[in-house]
Amino acid sequence: MADDKKPAGRKPTLPPGMKKPAGPAVAGSKLPPGSKRSPGSKLPPGKRPPGAKRPPGAPAGPGGDGATALTRADFSTDQDVRWCPGCGDYAILATVQRLMPEIDTPKENVVFISGIGCSSRFPYYMKTYGMHSIHGRAPTIATGLKASRPELDVWIVTGDGDGLSIGGNHLIHLMRRNVNVQLLLFNNQIYGLTKGQYSPTSETGKVTKSTPFGSIDHPFNPSALVLGADATFVGRTMDRDPKHMKIMLRAAHDHRGTGFLEIYQNCNIFNDGAFFEYTEKATKADRSVFVEHGKPLVFAGGSKGIRVNGFKLEEIDLEGGKWSADDCLIHDESSVELAGLIGRMFRSDSLPQPFGVFYRVSRPTYEDQLHAQIKDVVDRRGKGKLEELLNMGDTWEVSG
Amino acid sequence: MAPKTVESIAEATILFAGDSGDGMQLTGSQFTLATAYAMNDLATLPDFPAEIRAPAGTTYGVSGFQLHFGSVNIQTPGDEVDLLVAMNPAALKVNLERVRKGGSVLVNTSAFEKRSLDLAGYEEDPLENDSLDGYQVIRVELTKLTREALKDSPLNQKEIDRSKNMFALGLALWLYSRPVDPAQRWISQKFAKKPAIMEANLHLLKKGYHYGETTEQFVSRFEVDPASLEPGRYRAIQGVHALALGLLAASVESGLPLFYGSYPITPASDLLHTLSRYKHFGVMTFQAEDEIAAVGSAIGAAFGGSLAVTGTSGPGVALKAEAIGLAHIMELPMVIVNMQRGGPSTGLPTKTEQSDLLQAMFGRNGDSSIPIVAPSTPGDCFEAAYEAARIAVTYMTPVILLSDGYLANGSAPWLIPDVSKLPPFPVQFAKESLSDEEFRPYVRNKETLARPWAKPGTKGLEHRIGGLEKQDGTGNVSYDAGNHETMTRLREEKTDRVARDLPPLEVYGKTEGDVLIIGWGSTRGSIEAATDRLLAAGRSVGAVHLRHVNPLPLDLKSICDRFTHLVVPELNNGQMVRILRDRFLLPFQSLTKIQGRPFPAGEIVSFVESMIDGHTDNG
C-alpha cells in the first residue's frame, strides 16, 4: 500500500522520535494522490533531480563531474562474455554500459550484485565493483551492503528463476523495505543455465525438459507480485528496444527506493520468441502499449487506446469516430489503483502488454531510516563509550 | 523462640522450580544478583521449556533456575541440588532426582491438591507417603501465606497469586543470608509506574524473609563467605551479554562499524536484542526475513568493509551453509555465531548441547575448512567473540563462534576487562590505486595468506568476486584443474596458519601422568571440577581445554604424548573425539552425555577413575 493510502488514524510510518530522512526534495510527494500531471511533465513522482544520488560531501568522481568523460569502454571488463550468441542479455549489457557514463555516481561507488543463472554472470562483464553470489540471494547481500554503505550505488541483476523462485522471499522483502537499489529482473520465462526447465514465469502448458507433458504451474505476473509487496517503483521494458530500456534503467536508478525493472529478454536457445508478439516489428505496435506519466494510454500508432469501463480496462478504436484520445485512461504513476490495473494487463488476448513505469511513489528508504535512528540515539544519549558500558549495572570490587 | 544458629558452608546449589508462569527465571536471577553482592563465586543454569505458556501444572510446563554458589572456586551449576524450591507437584516430580540424598525440598503445600497432583501424574500425594523419605522436607503454605499477606492489597486474586515467587525469594535469601536490598531496588525500579504491584512485591519479599526468622521449621540458616576471586571489578554476566560486548569491543578497537544480521531463533535471539540496544555505538542490526537473508546481509556488509556478524543456532547454520561457503571462497571476513542447542532438526530448542561441532567443521559443500572458536565460560564469551572477529579480519575468512545454550543463558562473576589491555586489532584496507593496471584481489599476504580487503568506493580497485572458482592472483573465474587444487589447498592452508598465532595451551592439574582430559567449549567447568576432585583423591590427572577447535593448537599432540590415557568428554554422541582420532591416530576415549544439560562432574570423575583402575572398555 502506498504511503498516501494509509487508513486514517494510523500512526505515521516513521518510528516515534525519528526524523524524516534527509533526502532530496521529492517533487511527487507534494501531489495529492491520483493527481494528474500535464502531458510531458519532466519530473514524475519519486524522480530526483540530477545529482541527488551522491551524498553531500562525497568526492566528485570521474564519472560524475565531467572532469574525465567516461565511455562505455570504461565499463567493459577484459573477460570474454560467455552468453550464447544471439542472447538478449547482450543488449541489456550494452545498454547498461552505455548508461553508466551518464549517471552521476563516481564509478568506484557502483556495485553490481547477482545471484545464479545466465543473467547473474552480468557483474563479471561490468568494470565496477561486483559480486556473483549464490542462487536467489543477491537482494540479501545488496541489502547488507546498501544498509551499511548508503553512499554506494547498488544494482541487483537477477532472472525469473533466481529472483522469483529460489529467491522469491528476498525479493518481496526488498520491496517492502524499500532499500534504495535497482533490481533488474531479466525475464526469459525459462531456466537457461540448467538447460531448459520451466520457470515460475513460464506459461501453463509449456513443454520443457522437466515438463514433457506440459507445465501445470500457474505463472507469476512479476509486476503484480511486487506491487503486492508495496514496491515503490515498478517498471517493464524489453531487450529489443534499447532506447526505451535506457530510459527505464535511468528512471529505476534515479528513483530513491527500490527500483524494480522487469526486462523481457529472449532466450534464443531454450525459449526463443517468448516475447516476440510484443517485441517484434510486425506485431509490436498492436500488442504493446508504452505508458507514460500524464499521457493517455494509446498504441498502434495512435489508432487504439485503453479506457476504463467500470472496474475493467478495455481496448478502444480511436479511428472509428466513437472514441478519441480524450476517452483514454491517463496514466498516473502515483496511483496504486491504476498501477494495479496496468500491472494486471498481463498476457491478455484483448489488451496489449504494457511497458514503461507503472508505479512510482516516494517512501523513506530502509537505509535512511536505519541511519536516522542511529543518529537520533547518538544525539540523545551521546556516542557510546565501551568502558562505561562494560562497567554498567551491578558491579562489585574484590580487593587483593 | 530460640535464636537461629548460623552454619557456615563452603558452597550450595539451589534450584527454583515451578510453572512457566510462576516467575522462576526472575526469582533465580534475583537470587543470583544477591549472591553476586555477597561476593560468592557462582554458576547458573536456567532451564525452561520451549513452550511459552505450557498448560499450568503439567510436568512439561516446568521451568527451573539452578544456581551453584560458594566461597570456593565454582566451575559448574552443580551436579546435585542441595535445596529444591518446588512451587507445585509437577516441579517436584520433574526435579526431585536432581536433589542429593539428604538434601532439602521446600514445597508450596498449597499447590498440592487433587487437580495439581493429577496433572503432575502423581497417583498419591508425595507429601503423604514415604516418597520423600531421606530428604528434609520444608512445608510452606506459600499461596495461603501470600494471600494473607496481601489481603489489603488492591490487586486481584490472580495478580496476588502470581506474586508468591517473591515470598519464596525472600525466604531463600534469608536461608542463605543474602542481602535483600538488591531485589528491593530492582522491584522499585521495575514497577515504578505500577505502585500497587511494587508495594505487593516489596511486602511479600519482606514477609518471606521474616517468615524464615519466625518459623520453627528452620533451626539454622546458612552463611557463605565471599569467594577469593582475583582482585578487580566484577559483575555477574550471562554469556550472551558477554558475547555481545566482545563483538562490540572488537568493533570499537578495530574501528570497523558492527553489522549484525539475524533471524529470531532460540537461544540466539538475545544476541539480536542486546546488540539492537547499542545504536549509540553505531551498531547496525538487521532482523532479516530468514536465516539465509541474515547471513547474506552480513556478507554484503563485509564486502562493504563492516565487521559483519550473523548469529543463530544449529538449524539456522544449516540454512546458512551455502552462504558460509560463499564467504569462504570469496575470502571475506565475518563471524557466524552458533548458540548450539539440542538437535537434530528442531530438537531441544531450550536445552544445551555441543552437537554442531561436525556441522561447523564439515557442514558445507566442497572442501571448506574455516576457523572455529569455542568459548568455555559465560565470561569467556567476551574474549572468544573478540578473538573470532580478530581472526576473521586478519585472515580474511569467515569464522564460526561455537557457543551454546548453557553459556548463553548461564551467569557467572566476570572480571570486567581493562579496555586498554585488549589485544591490538589493526585493520588494513587496500589503498586506492591510480594506475591503469588491473587490481588483483587474490594476491596474498605472505604470512597470513590473507587477500586484500578492497572496499567498494575505493578508486581503482574495481573488481568482481563470486562463488565460482577464482584464478590465483587475479581472482578471475577459472575452471583450470590445477588452479582449483591450488586454491583449495591455499584456502585450507590459510585456516591452518591461524594456529601459528595461538598462545601455548595451559594444562590444568598434572602436566604429565595417567589421564589427560581433553575438552572444548562449555564443558570446561565440569572438567576442571572433576580434575580438582581427582587430584584431591591423589590421581595423576591433567586437563586441557580447546578454545580453538579448528585449527587445533600445534602443541596439543605433545601434551597428549605425556599421558597414558586420553579421554574426551562432550555433550554429544562423540564428535571432537573423531576429529582428534583422525588427526593424531591416538586412542582417545569418548565420554558423552546427551541430555540437554551440562556435564555432571561426578560422571567424569568415575569414568577417569575406572580408566586408571583398568575397568574401562577401550572401545
Side-chain angles (χ1 to χ4, degrees):
Chain A
M1 185 185 290
D3 219 14
D4 49 8
K5 295 292 187 291
K6 285 266 171 354
R10 269 191 61 176
K11 284 189 176 170
T13 341
L14 298 181
M18 211 199 100
K19 292 175 189 69
K20 219 176 149 58
V26 178
S29 60
K30 293 199 187 78
L31 290 174
S35 72
K36 293 188 173 57
R37 290 166 175 280
S38 59
S41 159
K42 288 263 163 58
L43 213 58
K47 161 110 190 188
R48 290 165 302 154
K53 199 123 186 175
R54 188 187 305 166
D65 55 8
T68 325
L70 296 182
T71 65
R72 180 187 164 188
D74 291 305
F75 290 90
S76 311
T77 62
D78 57 358
Q79 301 293 296
D80 293 333
V81 182
R82 298 186 192 184
W83 289 314
C84 309
C87 176
D89 288 352
Y90 283 96
I92 306 174
L93 177 64
T95 310
V96 172
Q97 286 171 340
R98 278 194 197 98
L99 172 71
M100 282 292 134
E102 295 172 21
I103 63 172
D104 53 4
T105 315
K107 181 169 171 252
E108 65 272 15
N109 277 8
V110 177
V111 187
F112 279 82
I113 296 178
S114 65
I116 292 293
C118 291
S119 59
S120 287
R121 297 297 180 95
F122 198 91
Y124 287 123
Y125 310 135
M126 290 297 301
K127 199 171 177 178
T128 62
Y129 283 91
M131 188 190 292
H132 174 220
S133 74
I134 44 176
H135 210 7
R137 316 305 171 195
T140 73
I141 292 165
T143 298
L145 181 62
K146 183 71 181 178
S148 59
R149 296 283 308 280
E151 77 277 19
L152 297 177
D153 187 2
V154 180
W155 299 70
I156 297 166
V157 177
T158 183
D160 40 314
D162 189 62
L164 297 174
S165 200
I166 192 165
N169 191 31
H170 309 308
L171 185 108
I172 56 176
H173 289 276
L174 180 78
M175 298 301 147
R176 84 177 160 87
R177 289 192 183 106
N178 198 34
V179 183
N180 185 12
V181 298
Q182 294 70 246
L183 185 140
L184 312 182
L185 183 100
F186 295 15
N187 185 3
N188 58 14
Q189 300 191 160
I190 199 80
Y191 280 92
L193 199 61
T194 49
K195 303 190 176 174
Q197 300 81 13
Y198 74 103
S199 90
T201 53
S202 298
E203 64 276 19
T204 309
K206 187 165 198 72
V207 173
T208 70
K209 278 192 184 144
S210 57
T211 49
F213 302 103
S215 160
I216 54 172
D217 274 27
H218 183 77
F220 267 137
N221 169 356
S223 308
L225 179 75
V226 299
L227 281 166
D230 281 355
T232 57
F233 179 102
V234 182
R236 183 187 291 142
T237 186
M238 58 176 79
D239 56 358
R240 304 282 277 184
D241 191 341
K243 210 171 134 200
H244 184 260
M245 192 194 333
K246 196 168 162 197
I247 295 167
M248 289 298 105
L249 286 166
R250 174 92 206 206
H253 173 264
D254 290 355
H255 174 68
R256 194 172 179 88
T258 308
F260 174 85
L261 183 63
E262 180 187 12
I263 307 174
Y264 281 173
Q265 172 249 322
N266 191 41
C267 172
N268 57 322
I269 304 296
F270 295 109
N271 201 15
D272 196 25
F275 307 106
F276 279 2
E277 183 184 358
Y278 313 125
T279 63
E280 300 312 286
K281 208 169 175 188
T283 48
K284 182 179 177 184
D286 267 347
R287 295 294 298 142
S288 299
V289 57
F290 287 81
V291 303
E292 276 184 74
H293 185 73
K295 292 189 178 172
L297 268 66
V298 295
F299 63 107
S303 66
K304 292 178 186 169
I306 311 276
R307 75 166 198 126
V308 183
N309 183 9
F311 286 109
K312 289 196 155 66
L313 296 178
E314 81 181 3
E315 182 180 312
I316 48 177
D317 176 10
L318 303 183
E319 290 180 331
K322 187 179 175 194
W323 306 106
S324 77
D326 293 342
D327 299 301
C328 292
L329 177 64
I330 308 289
H331 184 40
D332 176 0
E333 294 172 352
S334 69
S335 163
V336 73
E337 292 81 5
L338 206 49
L341 285 175
I342 294 173
R344 287 279 180 188
M345 289 168 67
F346 186 64
R347 296 219 167 254
S348 156
D349 291 336
S350 57
L351 291 169
Q353 194 81 345
F355 295 85
V357 177
F358 304 162
Y359 189 53
R360 169 156 49 183
V361 289
S362 170
R363 193 171 74 218
T365 69
Y366 182 83
E367 68 278 9
D368 280 348
Q369 295 181 87
L370 174 69
H371 290 278
Q373 204 172 50
I374 288 172
K375 186 179 177 303
D376 182 50
V377 177
V378 172
D379 287 348
R380 278 190 290 122
R381 299 179 55 179
K383 189 130 183 57
K385 292 193 183 66
L386 182 61
E387 189 134 25
E388 268 175 32
L389 185 67
L390 293 179
N391 284 280
M392 248 174 58
D394 296 288
T395 65
W396 71 96
E397 196 81 40
V398 173
S399 47
Chain B
M1 185 181 63
K4 310 271 178 181
T5 57
V6 176
E7 188 185 334
S8 190
I9 54 173
E11 59 185 305
T13 299
I14 182 169
L15 169 57
F16 296 96
D19 236 5
S20 297
D22 278 343
M24 292 296 95
Q25 300 306 318
L26 194 145
T27 310
S29 56
Q30 286 305 310
F31 193 90
T32 303
L33 184 63
T35 299
Y37 270 94
M39 294 197 198
N40 296 140
D41 198 0
L42 64 91
T44 71
L45 175 64
D47 184 12
F48 41 86
E51 293 75 21
I52 301 302
R53 288 277 183 275
T58 57
T59 51
Y60 50 89
V62 172
S63 172
F65 191 103
Q66 187 171 322
L67 173 76
H68 182 196
F69 57 100
S71 59
V72 294
N73 186 14
I74 299 296
Q75 295 142 314
T76 73
D79 283 11
E80 289 185 321
V81 170
D82 298 304
L83 171 65
L84 167 68
V85 178
M87 304 296 278
N88 66 6
L92 179 69
K93 177 138 200 191
V94 170
N95 291 302
L96 187 63
E97 57 163 18
R98 293 162 76 172
V99 182
R100 72 172 160 81
K101 281 287 168 211
S104 302
V105 179
L106 190 158
V107 288
N108 172 19
T109 51
S110 316
F112 281 65
E113 29 74 33
K114 175 89 174 70
R115 193 179 134 70
S116 296
L117 291 165
D118 286 348
L119 277 169
Y122 276 120
E123 288 182 4
E124 45 182 316
D125 188 344
L127 302 177
E128 305 293 331
N129 61 23
D130 58 2
S131 60
L132 294 177
D133 285 1
Y135 300 98
Q136 291 191 31
V137 182
I138 305 157
R139 295 159 191 259
V140 181
E141 294 181 293
L142 263 180
T143 313
K144 195 175 147 214
L145 289 165
T146 298
R147 287 178 186 173
E148 278 171 15
L150 295 183
K151 62 180 186 300
D152 298 328
S153 162
L155 299 185
N156 64 38
Q157 191 70 57
K158 204 176 151 197
E159 288 169 324
I160 286 172
D161 286 353
R162 260 179 36 194
S163 314
K164 62 180 180 293
N165 61 328
M166 285 298 124
F167 193 99
L169 176 62
L171 181 53
L173 291 174
W174 174 83
L175 187 60
Y176 288 99
S177 314
R178 319 272 87 182
V180 76
D181 45 313
Q184 286 172 333
R185 272 201 305 277
W186 183 84
I187 292 167
S188 305
Q189 272 173 22
K190 173 86 181 170
F191 300 111
K193 288 183 183 150
K194 293 173 181 167
I197 294 180
M198 179 176 78
E199 287 304 324
N201 278 302
L202 288 172
H203 186 62
L204 281 176
L205 187 69
K206 233 187 302 179
K207 279 281 169 193
Y209 199 87
H210 291 158
Y211 182 81
E213 289 282 354
T214 51
T215 180
E216 296 291 330
Q217 294 198 60
F218 300 107
V219 285
S220 62
R221 66 198 287 202
F222 303 108
E223 204 172 63
V224 184
D225 286 339
S228 51
L229 297 167
E230 198 183 322
R233 179 163 287 278
Y234 282 80
R235 65 189 272 196
I237 198 154
Q238 260 181 279
V240 64
H241 297 142
L243 202 153
L245 290 172
L247 293 172
L248 185 67
S251 162
V252 170
E253 293 301 305
S254 64
L256 298 171
L258 179 58
F259 181 95
Y260 184 70
S262 186
Y263 184 74
I265 185 170
T266 302
S269 300
D270 269 344
L271 189 53
L272 175 61
H273 306 161
T274 308
L275 289 171
S276 65
R277 294 202 303 260
Y278 297 159
K279 290 228 158 32
H280 53 309
F281 286 87
V283 174
M284 296 168 276
T285 54
F286 173 64
Q287 183 177 317
E289 60 269 22
D290 60 28
E291 294 282 358
I292 301 172
V295 64
S297 70
I299 289 174
F303 187 45
S306 288
L307 178 60
V309 183
T310 184
T312 185
S313 190
V317 175
L319 288 164
K320 293 180 198 295
E322 185 192 13
I324 298 170
L326 176 70
H328 176 64
I329 197 168
M330 294 197 302
E331 304 189 37
L332 282 175
M334 65 184 297
V335 176
I336 301 106
V337 181
N338 179 355
M339 305 277 195
Q340 296 170 96
R341 63 191 218 187
S345 187
T346 310
L348 306 174
T350 59
K351 312 291 179 191
T352 200
E353 204 160 276
Q354 296 181 303
S355 49
D356 298 342
L357 174 60
L358 295 181
Q359 179 194 44
M361 287 290 293
F362 307 115
R364 291 166 294 283
N365 59 309
D367 291 305
S368 58
S369 167
I370 66 178
I372 303 169
V373 180
S376 59
T377 64
D380 187 46
C381 289
F382 177 87
E383 285 175 42
Y386 190 91
E387 184 65 2
R390 209 188 51 79
I391 292 172
V393 171
T394 308
Y395 292 87
M396 289 292 285
T397 176
V399 174
I400 292 183
L401 183 59
L402 210 48
S403 182
D404 63 33
Y406 164 60
L407 290 179
N409 294 322
S411 305
W414 182 47
L415 178 60
I416 299 169
D418 180 348
V419 173
S420 68
K421 288 185 183 142
L422 290 171
F425 196 149
V427 181
Q428 183 92 54
F429 285 107
K431 298 245 167 37
E432 105 172 21
S433 155
L434 299 174
S435 97
D436 282 343
E437 251 176 69
E438 280 288 312
F439 171 62
R440 290 157 62 90
Y442 277 74
V443 170
R444 293 170 192 282
N445 177 302
K446 288 199 169 46
E447 293 302 312
T448 59
L449 298 182
R451 71 175 194 86
W453 196 359
K455 284 193 288 189
T458 317
K459 263 187 208 169
L461 304 188
E462 288 88 350
H463 67 285
R464 277 65 53 197
I465 53 176
L468 288 171
E469 184 59 282
K470 304 281 163 288
Q471 187 180 48
D472 193 14
T474 65
N476 288 335
V477 173
S478 167
Y479 303 135
D480 179 81
N483 178 74
H484 176 52
E485 185 158 320
T486 302
M487 292 299 277
T488 300
R489 291 194 198 287
L490 271 170
R491 286 188 289 262
E492 176 142 348
E493 169 68 14
K494 188 171 76 159
T495 298
D496 288 345
R497 286 202 185 182
V498 173
R500 295 179 177 187
D501 273 1
L502 304 182
L505 283 170
E506 286 173 20
V507 184
Y508 189 86
K510 300 275 186 212
T511 52
E512 57 185 307
D514 290 338
V515 178
L516 178 68
I517 310 173
I518 302 151
W520 67 278
S522 71
T523 48
R524 179 173 200 149
S526 306
I527 289 171
E528 293 186 354
T531 307
D532 286 345
R533 285 188 225 171
L534 288 158
L535 291 169
R539 303 290 190 167
S540 168
V541 173
V544 68
H545 209 75
L546 305 173
R547 171 192 275 170
H548 294 274
V549 168
N550 192 43
L552 287 168
L554 299 171
D555 51 349
L556 179 57
K557 171 76 166 49
S558 66
I559 294 170
C560 291
D561 287 341
R562 301 204 295 262
F563 290 84
T564 313
H565 302 285
L566 305 164
V567 61
V568 187
E570 297 176 84
L571 294 173
N572 57 44
N573 204 16
Q575 299 198 6
M576 176 55 93
V577 75
R578 290 170 202 247
I579 295 171
L580 293 173
R581 284 174 185 159
D582 170 63
R583 175 74 182 273
F584 299 121
L585 299 175
L586 291 171
F588 294 92
Q589 291 198 43
S590 180
L591 174 59
T592 62
K593 198 80 196 163
I594 323 161
Q595 299 188 357
R597 290 182 199 158
F599 222 116
E603 292 189 17
I604 302 176
V605 171
S606 355
F607 190 86
V608 170
E609 283 184 327
S610 57
M611 278 176 98
I612 297 173
D613 299 340
H615 305 147
T616 307
D617 171 19
N618 260 15

